[in-house]
Amino acid sequence: MEQKSRETTSGGGMEPVNTMSDVSVVDLSSFVNVELDVENNNNANGDSAERHGVSAITQALFQNDEEDKDESDDDDSGTDHFNTGKSGTQLQRCERHGGVTSSLPDTFQTNHLLFYERFKAYQDYVLGDCKPSEVKAFTADYLEKVVEPCDWLALWSTDVFDVLVEVRDVELKDLKACVRLVLPLQCDTRGCELTEESMESLLEATQHKVLLQELQVVYEESGDFDQTALALEHLRFFYKHIWRQWDEEDEDDDFDYFVRCVEPRLRLYYDILEDRVPTGLVAEYQSLLEKCSQCFQHFSVLRSGLSSDSDSELDNVSMVEGLKLCDQLETFKRKLHIIENPLLRYVLGYKGNARQQCVQSRGPRTSGMKMVHVVTDSCSTTQLQSLLSARLLPLCSCGDTEIQFHREPVSALDSCHQGDVVIILPGIYSVNSSIFIPDSITVEGFGFPDDVVIEKKNKGDSFVESTGADVRLSNIKFIQHDAIEGILCVRQGTLNMENCVLQCETTGVIVRTSAHLNMNMCDLYGSKGAGVEIYPGTVCSLVSNGIHHCKDGILIKDFADDLDVMPSITMENNVIHNNEGYGVILVKPSTEHRAPVDSEDPAKDPAGQTAEDGQLGGVSDPPSSDPAQPEPQRTAQVVTWRPPQAGSGSLVVS
C-alpha cells in the first residue's frame, strides 16, 4: 500500500504523525505480501522484537476500512494537496479590514504557512528535481492537479484595487485565469475611483485574463476550495520571494533548481522573518536584489536590440557595453549567492551592523564638562549615602563634573561623551535595543555583578557593541536572549572588562579584527557557540576567567591573509571546563592536508608539543596515524586540545 506524502494545515500550523513504515500490504484482493524490516541483532531483546513485529502484522491485517481511512487522514508530511474527501475546510478565515463600508467577502488565510509546509510543497509537489527552464511546466502540471477548473469566486488583488470576480476557466500554460466581474461591482480601491464600466474596459484590454497569483480564493466552509487556495498561495509566494528573472538563463541548468536556489532562498526568507539575520545584511541583500534586477533588465533590452549579422559601429559599441553589463550581473549574482548560503552568509557577506555604522563617536563636550550618569529606578537613603561617599564625591571633587540621573542604562549610554562615567545601581534592567559604546567611557555596577543585571529579551543583531578607544566595564551581569552576533562584540578600539558575568544564549564574546580585549576575573557560560571568538589581527588578554557550559571554550580564528597579522593572545589562570566540545580551538591556514588533533594527554599532544604550544604557538597538525586512510581536503587546519573526560574535566592555562 503506497504511502503518499500529505500535509494538513490548520491556521498555518502542522502536526507530523508517524505512520507504520515497517509493514507493507500489497493487493489484498488477490494475495497478502507482508514485509517486515527487522534489524539483525544478537542482544537479549531479539525475541521481544520478533513478538512486537508479529503483533504489528496482525494489527495491519485485521484493521477495518474505517480505521485505514482515519489513519490516512492523520498522516501529515506535507500540504494535503490531493485529499478532497474531507468534509469542511481545514484553513482559517482571513477577515478583511477594508473599513466599515467594504462589501468584499473574506478569503482563506494562507500567508502564514510555516517553513516546513512550503518546503515540502515545493520539494514534493510543485518543483521536484526540475531545472530552471522547466519551472513553468512543472508548476502548470502541479496546478492542473489541484486547482478547480472553473466556477469559483476570487478577489483580483493588485496594488491599486481589490475586485470580486468569478473564474470561468484557467489557462495553466500561461498561469492565467479567465474571469468576469461579479455584478453589482464589489471592490476596494486605493487612491483611485473605479466604476463598473472602467473595470469592464480593463478586463477587455486584457482579454478577461489575469495572473493566477493575483487571485485570492473567497472563503468557503465546505472545504472544496482548500487546495485551490493553497496552490495559489504557493504560486504567489514563489514568484514574489523565490523566483528571479535571471534564473531561467542560469548556466547551471543541469543541476537541481530546488536544492541550488529554492531551498537557500526559502531559508533566508524565514531567517529574516524570524529576526535571525542582521538588519544591515537584510538591507544589503535588498539593495543587491534591486541592482541586479535593474542590471538584468538593461542587459535584456540591449541584447534584444542587437542584430546577429550586423557589423555597424553602433552594434559593436552595444556589444562592448553588453559584455560589461554581463560581467556586472555575474558579480551581483555571486554576492546574492553568498548571502543566500547560510554557511557563507556571516563569513563573507556581512561587514557590520547597520545601526552600529551610523553611531559615531561624540568626542568630548565642547564645554569641557564631564558627566557622571547614575542609573536607578529607585534607591534607599542608605544606598544613596554610600554612593555619595564611595563614588560621587571622589568623581566630582573638581568643578568640571556634573551628575545626571537615568531610569535605564540605554538612555545613559546614549547621552555619554568621551570621558563620562556611568554608575548603575543594583536592580534588574530590561532593555529592548542593542547597546552601542562608541566613546571612551567607564560603565560600572555599584555592587556585586549578580545584583546589577542588564537583560535583553527581544531578538536583535547584537547585545553590547564596543567601538570606543578605551572602554571599561565592571561589576555587571549581562543576560542575553536571541542576539544574532553574541552577547558582546568588540569591533574596534579597546575594551577592558573586569568582574563581569556573561550569561549567553547564542554566541559569547566576539573580538573582531584589530580590536583589543582585556578580560579579567569574568564568568562566561551558556554559549551555543564558542565562549570567546577571536579573529585575526586582535590583541587579547584573558586572565583568571571562568568559561564553562558552552559548546566550545575559546575559538581562535587565525585564518589571516597576507594583509593581516596573527592574533596576539595571552591566557593566564583561566578555568575552562564543562564544555560540550574543546577547551581551546585554533583554526589556522595550511597548504597541506591535515586532520584535527584530539589529544587525550593533558600535557602533550601526539606530536610532542604542550597544550599551550598547540593553542598559541601555531603548530602544524601531525599526519594521520593510519597511512592507508586518505585525508580529506581542507582549506584550514584545526589545532585543538580536549581535556580528559570532555564535558566534565577542567582546563587551566597559565
Side-chain angles (χ1 to χ4, degrees):
M1 179 172 59
E2 181 181 359
Q3 298 289 335
K4 295 184 178 179
S5 296
R6 295 175 179 171
E7 179 181 78
T8 304
T9 61
S10 178
M14 62 179 181
E15 183 177 357
V17 177
N18 295 327
T19 59
M20 186 182 299
S21 60
D22 57 341
V23 177
S24 176
V25 181
V26 182
D27 195 6
L28 290 176
S29 61
S30 58
F31 65 95
V32 177
N33 177 21
V34 180
E35 297 178 1
L36 177 64
D37 295 334
V38 180
E39 295 183 358
N40 295 325
N41 55 68
N42 298 322
N43 58 29
N45 296 327
D47 295 338
S48 175
E50 183 176 358
R51 288 195 299 271
H52 177 73
V54 173
S55 176
I57 296 172
T58 305
Q59 181 181 358
L61 291 176
F62 292 98
Q63 62 185 352
N64 56 38
D65 294 339
E66 182 177 355
E67 292 172 341
D68 281 337
K69 181 179 180 181
D70 292 340
E71 182 181 346
S72 177
D73 288 347
D74 289 339
D75 186 14
D76 184 336
S77 59
T79 303
D80 189 1
H81 298 286
F82 306 111
N83 185 5
T84 59
K86 295 182 179 179
S87 60
T89 180
Q90 302 295 312
L91 302 178
Q92 296 292 323
R93 179 195 296 265
C94 179
E95 297 182 359
R96 297 190 58 80
H97 301 283
V100 180
T101 59
S102 177
S103 59
L104 293 176
D106 296 335
T107 57
F108 286 99
Q109 178 68 273
T110 57
N111 60 352
H112 293 325
L113 297 181
L114 303 178
F115 166 80
Y116 172 82
E117 297 174 288
R118 297 192 193 275
F119 180 92
K120 293 295 291 182
Y122 292 129
Q123 183 185 52
D124 294 346
Y125 302 110
V126 184
L127 301 174
D129 57 353
C130 72
K131 304 174 183 178
S133 58
E134 301 172 334
V135 165
K136 196 170 184 179
F138 272 62
T139 304
D141 182 65
Y142 157 73
L143 295 175
E144 184 179 4
K145 298 175 182 177
V146 296
V147 173
E148 292 292 330
C150 60
D151 300 330
W152 45 279
L153 298 179
L155 294 185
W156 179 19
S157 297
T158 67
D159 295 334
V160 179
F161 58 79
D162 294 333
V163 177
L164 183 64
V165 296
E166 179 186 359
V167 176
R168 306 180 65 182
D169 190 17
V170 290
E171 297 184 358
L172 300 176
K173 182 179 179 181
D174 299 323
L175 302 181
K176 292 184 177 182
C178 296
V179 301
R180 66 179 178 185
L181 288 178
V182 174
L183 301 179
L185 180 67
Q186 302 178 46
C187 69
D188 281 345
T189 60
R190 290 173 283 276
C192 68
E193 291 289 339
L194 284 180
T195 62
E196 187 176 310
E197 291 76 12
S198 61
M199 283 304 304
E200 287 287 0
S201 300
L202 178 60
L203 285 175
E204 288 179 4
T206 61
Q207 299 180 341
H208 289 264
K209 297 178 182 179
V210 299
L211 294 174
L212 281 173
Q213 57 259 38
E214 294 180 353
L215 297 179
Q216 298 182 22
V217 183
V218 171
Y219 181 82
E220 281 196 18
E221 296 183 354
S222 64
D224 295 338
F225 300 104
D226 283 22
Q227 303 310 318
T228 299
L230 283 171
L232 295 188
E233 169 61 27
H234 291 315
L235 179 69
R236 183 164 43 246
F237 183 89
F238 174 77
Y239 279 102
K240 184 176 182 180
H241 300 289
I242 305 298
W243 178 254
R244 308 285 184 252
Q245 301 174 4
W246 48 87
D247 283 352
E248 200 165 5
E249 301 182 359
D250 202 322
E251 296 179 355
D252 296 329
D253 190 63
D254 293 336
F255 295 93
D256 189 341
Y257 178 68
F258 176 84
V259 174
R260 185 164 47 86
C261 296
V262 177
E263 181 180 357
R265 291 172 186 172
L266 186 62
R267 290 186 183 277
L268 176 61
Y269 173 84
Y270 276 91
D271 284 346
I272 294 174
L273 189 67
E274 297 170 9
D275 297 325
R276 291 198 293 262
V277 180
T279 53
L281 187 58
V282 175
E284 183 179 350
Y285 182 70
Q286 298 296 339
S287 176
L288 282 172
L289 271 179
E290 184 178 354
K291 291 178 181 178
C292 193
S293 178
Q294 294 174 354
C295 183
F296 179 78
Q297 292 175 3
H298 191 187
F299 174 74
S300 299
V301 171
L302 187 65
R303 181 178 56 183
S304 62
L306 290 176
S307 176
S308 59
D309 56 352
S310 174
D311 293 331
S312 66
E313 183 178 351
L314 182 61
D315 280 350
N316 290 336
V317 172
S318 298
M319 182 71 71
V320 174
E321 185 179 357
L323 291 175
K324 292 181 179 178
L325 286 173
C326 184
D327 183 66
Q328 187 178 11
L329 182 64
E330 290 300 319
T331 301
F332 287 141
K333 288 164 64 176
R334 283 194 299 269
K335 292 181 178 179
L336 288 172
H337 174 71
I338 288 174
I339 300 177
E340 291 167 353
N341 189 320
L343 299 177
L344 302 176
R345 189 177 301 159
Y346 299 108
V347 177
L348 302 176
Y350 186 46
K351 300 297 186 296
N353 179 272
R355 183 185 165 193
Q356 181 269 333
Q357 293 174 351
C358 299
V359 177
Q360 302 295 329
S361 174
R362 301 179 183 89
R365 288 182 174 83
T366 55
S367 61
M369 296 289 293
K370 292 186 179 181
M371 192 79 67
V372 177
H373 304 266
V374 179
V375 180
T376 181
D377 189 19
S378 62
C379 66
S380 64
T381 55
T382 304
Q383 283 181 323
L384 183 58
Q385 184 178 5
S386 177
L387 176 65
L388 282 170
S389 60
R391 297 297 298 139
L392 295 183
L393 290 177
L395 289 172
C396 302
S397 57
C398 51
D400 60 347
T401 304
E402 295 182 355
I403 301 175
Q404 192 175 88
F405 289 86
H406 303 265
R407 287 184 174 272
E408 47 88 22
V410 175
S411 64
L413 291 168
D414 288 344
S415 303
C416 283
H417 285 252
Q418 182 175 316
D420 286 1
V421 177
V422 178
I423 302 175
I424 306 176
L425 268 64
I428 300 177
Y429 303 91
S430 296
V431 299
N432 296 319
S433 60
S434 300
I435 296 175
F436 298 101
I437 308 177
D439 290 282
S440 299
I441 62 174
T442 298
V443 184
E444 60 183 62
F446 188 69
F448 295 105
D450 287 335
D451 297 328
V452 183
V453 179
I454 302 178
E455 182 176 12
K456 185 173 186 290
K457 294 184 177 180
N458 64 326
K459 296 180 179 179
D461 294 351
S462 60
F463 189 178
V464 180
E465 292 198 11
S466 174
T467 57
D470 185 12
V471 178
R472 299 180 181 275
L473 295 178
S474 61
N475 304 328
I476 302 175
K477 180 177 182 179
F478 296 95
I479 301 179
Q480 166 213 48
H481 299 281
D482 293 326
I484 297 173
E485 288 196 276
I487 193 167
L488 193 151
C489 181
V490 189
R491 292 200 176 275
Q492 61 188 44
T494 300
L495 174 64
N496 301 282
M497 186 164 50
E498 184 173 339
N499 197 30
C500 290
V501 177
L502 305 172
Q503 180 179 323
C504 311
E505 190 173 276
T506 51
T507 310
V509 176
I510 300 176
V511 190
R512 294 288 184 180
T513 300
S514 301
H516 293 204
L517 171 66
N518 298 315
M519 183 174 170
N520 303 327
M521 296 184 294
C522 295
D523 188 32
L524 189 154
Y525 59 92
S527 172
K528 294 180 181 177
V532 180
E533 190 173 307
I534 302 173
Y535 277 72
T538 59
V539 177
C540 291
S541 174
L542 307 176
V543 179
S544 302
N545 300 291
I547 302 174
H548 55 96
H549 293 92
C550 302
K551 183 177 180 182
D552 292 301
I554 300 174
L555 175 61
I556 304 169
K557 296 184 175 181
D558 182 21
F559 45 73
D561 55 27
D562 295 337
L563 300 179
D564 292 325
V565 297
M566 293 178 59
S568 175
I569 305 170
T570 302
M571 293 193 294
E572 297 179 2
N573 300 323
N574 297 288
V575 180
I576 307 174
H577 64 97
N578 287 89
N579 297 297
E580 294 181 15
Y582 295 95
V584 179
I585 302 177
L586 171 61
V587 181
K588 60 178 297 183
S590 174
T591 57
E592 303 178 10
H593 305 321
R594 302 185 184 275
V597 173
D598 187 4
S599 174
E600 296 297 335
D601 186 350
K604 292 189 176 183
D605 61 21
Q609 291 100 354
T610 64
E612 186 175 358
D613 291 336
Q615 296 155 6
L616 305 179
V619 300
S620 300
D621 293 319
S624 173
S625 59
D626 184 4
Q629 182 69 23
E631 294 292 342
Q633 183 175 356
R634 296 177 179 270
T635 57
Q637 70 180 69
V638 181
V639 180
T640 56
W641 185 87
R642 184 193 292 273
Q645 299 178 355
S648 60
S650 63
L651 169 63
V652 180
V653 181
S654 60

